[in-house]
Amino acid sequence: MLLENSIPELRVEPFIDPATGAQTVHYLWKNTIVPKVQLTGKIAETISGLTLIQKDLENAKCWVKRALELISTEARKMSEDVQYVHLQERTSADEAKAFFVAGLTFYAKAFTEAAGRRAQLQRNDLALEFRDIHDYYMDFRHNFAAHSGD
């Protein structure tokens, strides 16, 4: 899938009506509005769902990076083999936790069923080298962020 800013001549202008919350998007090619054609059917629904998954994964990546930024000052004081850090500054720790849980939740959302999205990634969609770490974070999500687990 192409990112919105990957084609220089294409500009996407989203708009939300402040009174109604209605959303519209204008597509411009070289500053000329392009007519919209609504696509329907199973393939269009799947592509739409995969686009939502892509956005969720991009958000998850940004939020986990932000969590790492928040803990980086205290983590830098530790040796490289240390995997756990006890953050002394509560505000940063709480914010890092919030960003991490948000990222973890949105990552896992891509691999769980959502009726409105009509698309879902499977563990087998991942390259073999990513499956163990995927399992680790999905287990983390189930037991830490989503359910009262271990």
Side-chain angles (χ1 to χ4, degrees):
M1 282 184 249
L2 295 173
L3 298 176
E4 288 177 359
N5 59 358
S6 64
I7 303 173
E9 296 88 357
L10 180 65
R11 195 168 79 235
V12 180
E13 291 185 356
F15 175 77
I16 298 176
D17 185 309
T20 66
Q23 300 177 24
T24 55
V25 178
H26 296 286
Y27 299 94
L28 294 96
W29 181 259
K30 298 182 181 178
N31 294 321
T32 302
I33 291 181
V34 177
K36 293 183 246 179
V37 177
Q38 184 172 353
L39 301 177
T40 60
K42 183 131 178 85
I43 293 173
E45 288 176 358
T46 300
I47 290 171
S48 177
L50 291 172
T51 300
L52 292 173
I53 288 172
Q54 178 186 24
K55 288 181 178 183
D56 285 348
L57 292 175
E58 289 170 1
N59 283 332
K61 184 178 178 181
C62 288
W63 296 333
V64 169
K65 281 184 177 181
R66 181 66 182 128
L68 291 171
E69 288 169 7
L70 287 165
I71 67 166
S72 66
T73 302
E74 292 195 43
R76 272 194 293 256
K77 299 174 190 172
M78 308 295 174
S79 66
E80 284 188 27
D81 60 332
V82 172
Q83 294 186 22
Y84 300 93
V85 176
H86 180 194
L87 299 177
Q88 301 300 314
E89 208 278 291
R90 286 303 332 146
T91 301
S92 292
D94 289 344
E95 288 178 13
K97 181 179 178 181
F99 280 113
F100 176 73
V101 170
L104 185 64
T105 302
F106 269 53
Y107 171 80
K109 186 174 149 186
F111 294 90
T112 55
E113 187 176 346
R117 200 174 48 218
R118 301 185 188 214
Q120 176 181 342
L121 296 179
Q122 301 294 325
R123 180 183 185 271
N124 291 342
D125 294 332
L126 298 171
L128 288 173
E129 71 253 30
F130 298 117
R131 291 182 187 172
D132 286 343
I133 195 74
H134 165 79
D135 292 343
Y136 173 81
Y137 283 108
M138 290 300 286
D139 188 53
F140 203 158
R141 177 256 181 200
H142 295 317
N143 289 305
F144 178 67
H147 309 288
S148 297
D150 298 331

